[in-house]
Amino acid sequence: MLKWYEETGDNEDIVISSRVRLARNLSKYPFPVRLSKEQARELIEELKAKLAGLDEEEGRSYHYLSMDSISDTDKVALTERHLVSEALITKQGPAAAMVSEDESVSILLNEEDHLRIQAFAGGMNLDKAWKLADKLDNAINKCFPYAYHEKLGYLTSFPTNVGTGLRVSFMLHLPAIAGTKRLAGIASDIGRFGVSIRGSGAGNLYQIYNQKTLGQTEQEIMQNLTTIAYQIIKQERKLRKKITQENLVGIEDTVFRSYGILKYCKTLEIEEGMNLLSDIQFGLSGGFLKFEGQGKKSVYPLMMGIQPAHLQRLAGKPLDKVKRDRCRADYIREHLPELII
Amino acid sequence: MLCEKCHEREATIFYTEIINGVKNEHSLCSECAKDMEFVDELPFAELLAGILGAYAVESEKKEDTMEQVVCPTCKLSYRDFISQGVLGCEDCYNVFEPLIEGNIKKIQGNNIHTGKKPLYNNMTMAKPQAEYSIIEEIQILKEKLNEALREEDYEEAASLRDEIRALRERDGIDA
């Protein structure tokens, strides 16, 4: 089965992924912040038992991961894949996650809310991610009545999530916008439409997401974010074209040099690795650089693979920084596809 | 209070940062806070609590009486909510609704849900009512009405007046 990031999607020269997240709470328990340890355990057991039946219904198999039974490295690796949140792995007290085989769905248990239902799709495809999350939401709701208020909608721990409980986001690769220092302007422009942007580590990856969750329907929230994403995509494309037209030789040179460094370096820091991979992605999208082989051409899996916890899982032991940088260079050398020259 | 960063504009965002157990309080103007976004993300819960807290300080008199309100289901007090920005259970929304409604509207720009509804709730769930007595509720609304009048927000005042009237009629209390 293909992972979500191996599937192709719309506008994938810029949009890495689409994500939908629903915050839900069960009616019969207090919210996580007021749950005793025993209640939290009981809640998780109950959710786990009932959600086990989702497998057959959805045709998707889930791994159940209890936060107190997996290693710290594994926890961090899950956040590096965006499958669970920082809040879940640092949570005091019982917490768990259910992650689907293809990594397109994860359900966080007893994070800030009882349930956080997350769905991913490759490229620009909120609709696909929404359908996954919506279906799952209904299936879960069949087993558990939700905390819901006639006027305020779905009730959440933080009033910032109340209403739809919906946070939708796109992960965008914006090397041209970031490289020409236009991010601050964009951040303030889109802020007026209730959309925020934040950096997602190095590599020119940025997430845009809706700030408000109450007052608009789910479709309106998604439509609004999509409209804004299109504007950003348009700007990024325009800038890429301009930069390339102005200095084709220079851009090609940068992209190929980056490839050369990645392929032949012996030690590589995370930030440099991410930025060089960003150059490669720019080259792939612009067609200056072509990878050998079949399937989707994206460096995103490599960007995940070189994260610290991923490297340590691969090594099967904790690594200090020097060893990690060495392993990172080895990993890239091994996994970076050959070029068609 | 002036912004700690630019020392020019009035601070509008207050937040508490805890790094390795050391607590730091910050006050920033919205411009400087915006600049910080990419450098260091504001811990949202504290930021939110700061906004709510700052709001409460503005109306200190109200705070005194209201801080004592406690959710009967989960025992969260309004004071807890102001300091942490997080609610304790679904009933909190009913209990604190008159107090937090304005803040929700401020954060969300709206206070009426128009999206998806749960498919399976109605049968299984009887919505618990707020644990205020009508008289207490009227008292809260009256305080809000006074505040609205002080701020010369007559539109809000009119709607509060109507709410009070409706409550009184419902309960058969003479106006």
Side-chain angles (χ1 to χ4, degrees):
Chain A
M1 188 183 237
L2 286 179
K3 306 277 191 202
W4 67 261
Y5 50 83
E6 291 164 338
E7 290 175 354
T8 54
D10 289 347
N11 297 301
E12 62 185 13
D13 56 329
I14 293 169
V15 188
I16 308 274
S17 65
S18 306
R19 188 182 75 144
V20 163
R21 188 223 69 193
L22 289 170
R24 298 286 187 255
N25 286 287
L26 309 195
S27 182
K28 69 183 232 202
Y29 291 92
F31 295 159
V33 69
R34 302 301 277 186
L35 276 182
S36 67
K37 264 205 169 124
E38 290 69 46
Q39 279 176 307
R41 251 180 235 118
E42 191 189 311
L43 166 85
I44 290 176
E45 281 311 311
E46 197 179 338
L47 284 167
K48 183 185 165 190
K50 292 255 177 72
L51 299 189
L54 289 175
D55 286 27
E56 299 94 61
E57 197 171 328
E58 295 288 311
R60 195 174 254 105
S61 57
Y62 289 88
H63 297 286
Y64 174 80
L65 307 162
S66 168
M67 288 303 122
D68 47 23
S69 64
I70 64 173
S71 73
D72 286 348
T73 310
D74 283 349
K75 285 184 206 174
V76 178
L78 286 167
T79 63
E80 290 171 354
R81 301 182 86 73
H82 299 283
L83 288 169
V84 309
S85 62
E86 195 73 30
L88 189 84
I89 65 166
T90 53
K91 168 125 194 163
Q92 304 290 318
M98 291 175 72
V99 177
S100 74
E101 187 73 42
D102 64 354
E103 297 183 21
S104 64
V105 178
S106 63
I107 310 169
L108 313 189
L109 312 183
N110 200 35
E111 189 226 40
E112 283 171 358
D113 292 299
H114 295 151
L115 287 159
R116 289 281 174 96
I117 305 164
Q118 282 199 116
F120 290 92
M124 195 176 198
N125 205 341
L126 268 187
D127 200 44
K128 185 176 174 187
W130 164 253
K131 280 187 181 133
L132 279 173
D134 184 39
K135 213 169 145 194
L136 201 55
D137 181 36
N138 292 340
I140 295 172
N141 184 205
K142 216 177 208 172
C143 313
F144 302 100
Y146 283 144
Y148 184 80
H149 187 283
E150 273 313 315
K151 189 170 134 201
L152 294 172
Y154 292 94
L155 301 178
T156 52
S157 295
F158 288 93
T160 44
N161 293 317
V162 79
T164 56
L166 177 68
R167 189 87 59 216
V168 289
S169 66
F170 290 116
M171 195 195 285
L172 306 174
H173 181 231
L174 303 174
I177 288 177
T180 52
K181 310 250 177 292
R182 282 175 163 86
L183 271 170
I186 286 186
S188 83
D189 286 349
I190 65 177
R192 282 187 280 136
F193 298 95
V195 173
S196 289
I197 183 164
R198 67 162 169 236
S200 191
N204 298 312
L205 297 182
Y206 295 89
Q207 256 185 327
I208 61 166
Y209 55 97
N210 63 308
Q211 289 160 349
K212 292 171 184 172
T213 54
L214 180 61
Q216 286 181 300
T217 65
E218 290 80 3
Q219 295 305 325
E220 285 166 343
I221 291 172
M222 289 190 280
Q223 190 54 52
N224 184 41
L225 192 78
T226 306
T227 307
I228 287 184
Y230 270 122
Q231 294 306 316
I232 298 177
I233 291 168
K234 218 163 104 184
Q235 267 205 58
E236 171 70 20
R237 286 215 180 105
K238 217 162 112 187
L239 282 168
R240 285 189 190 185
K241 203 171 157 191
K242 185 166 169 269
I243 296 168
T244 316
Q245 275 171 353
E246 279 171 7
N247 186 8
L248 179 62
V249 178
I251 294 287
E252 272 191 320
D253 186 57
T254 305
V255 168
F256 277 84
R257 273 173 193 272
S258 297
Y259 185 88
I261 295 172
L262 286 171
K263 202 73 189 174
Y264 295 104
C265 69
K266 282 295 190 183
T267 169
L268 185 64
E269 289 189 356
I270 178 77
E271 193 165 334
E272 189 188 7
M274 291 293 284
N275 289 334
L276 293 170
L277 284 171
S278 168
D279 292 344
I280 304 295
Q281 186 65 44
F282 186 97
L284 286 172
S285 310
F288 325 119
L289 195 117
K290 289 191 175 70
F291 279 168
E292 272 184 359
Q294 305 292 310
K296 182 172 170 176
K297 306 291 191 291
S298 164
V299 299
Y300 185 64
L302 283 171
M303 284 178 160
M304 286 195 290
I306 62 167
Q307 298 296 319
H310 273 73
L311 293 172
Q312 298 185 65
R313 283 192 71 199
L314 200 67
K317 59 185 179 198
L319 302 168
D320 63 21
K321 190 181 171 302
V322 176
K323 288 198 184 110
R324 275 207 306 273
D325 290 350
R326 177 104 191 164
C327 284
R328 186 170 293 121
D330 293 343
Y331 180 86
I332 293 248
R333 204 175 315 115
E334 204 174 307
H335 291 89
L336 191 65
E338 295 300 321
L339 296 183
I340 303 172
I341 307 270
Chain B
M1 189 187 292
L2 285 180
C3 167
E4 64 176 39
K5 225 172 157 193
C6 63
H7 303 291
E8 281 171 11
R9 289 173 289 260
E10 191 67 18
T12 51
I13 292 173
F14 304 89
Y15 76 102
T16 312
E17 187 182 51
I18 300 172
I19 297 171
N20 300 329
V22 181
K23 198 166 154 186
N24 287 306
E25 309 227 330
H26 296 282
S27 31
L28 296 166
C29 67
S30 54
E31 283 299 304
C32 292
K34 209 160 60 191
D35 289 342
M36 284 184 64
E37 224 176 48
F38 289 101
V39 190
D40 205 343
E41 205 153 334
L42 295 180
F44 202 73
E46 281 100 14
L47 174 64
L48 177 65
I51 295 170
L52 301 173
Y55 184 70
V57 173
E58 276 171 26
S59 48
E60 254 173 56
K61 241 177 79 193
K62 184 176 134 191
E63 189 188 25
D64 285 341
T65 44
M66 292 308 144
E67 271 200 359
Q68 314 302 326
V69 178
V70 171
C71 169
T73 311
C74 73
K75 312 289 183 257
L76 183 98
S77 71
Y78 185 57
R79 183 200 294 264
D80 294 338
F81 171 66
I82 285 184
S83 65
Q84 293 154 19
V86 58
L87 288 157
C89 70
E90 60 181 315
D91 294 340
C92 286
Y93 276 95
N94 285 324
V95 176
F96 301 124
E97 192 184 359
L99 298 165
I100 63 174
E101 207 184 359
N103 287 318
I104 287 181
K105 210 167 171 177
K106 237 188 226 176
I107 301 165
Q108 297 277 5
N110 205 314
N111 59 357
I112 296 168
H113 176 60
T114 54
K116 184 177 175 179
K117 292 186 165 130
L119 296 177
Y120 301 96
N121 266 16
N122 305 338
M123 300 282 287
T124 36
M125 253 178 83
K127 199 75 210 133
Q129 285 302 306
E131 302 281 331
Y132 283 122
S133 71
I134 296 271
I135 293 171
E136 279 172 319
E137 209 166 314
I138 291 174
Q139 198 50 42
I140 290 167
L141 287 170
K142 269 186 174 170
E143 291 201 35
K144 288 177 86 174
L145 175 62
N146 286 336
E147 199 187 309
L149 288 171
R150 260 202 314 278
E151 288 174 6
E152 301 183 17
D153 183 351
Y154 298 114
E155 205 177 317
E156 173 77 7
S159 91
L160 285 165
R161 183 203 56 207
D162 293 344
E163 264 183 74
I164 294 172
R165 190 175 293 162
L167 273 177
R168 279 182 168 148
E169 278 168 12
R170 203 177 79 199
D171 206 47
I173 302 171
D174 288 332

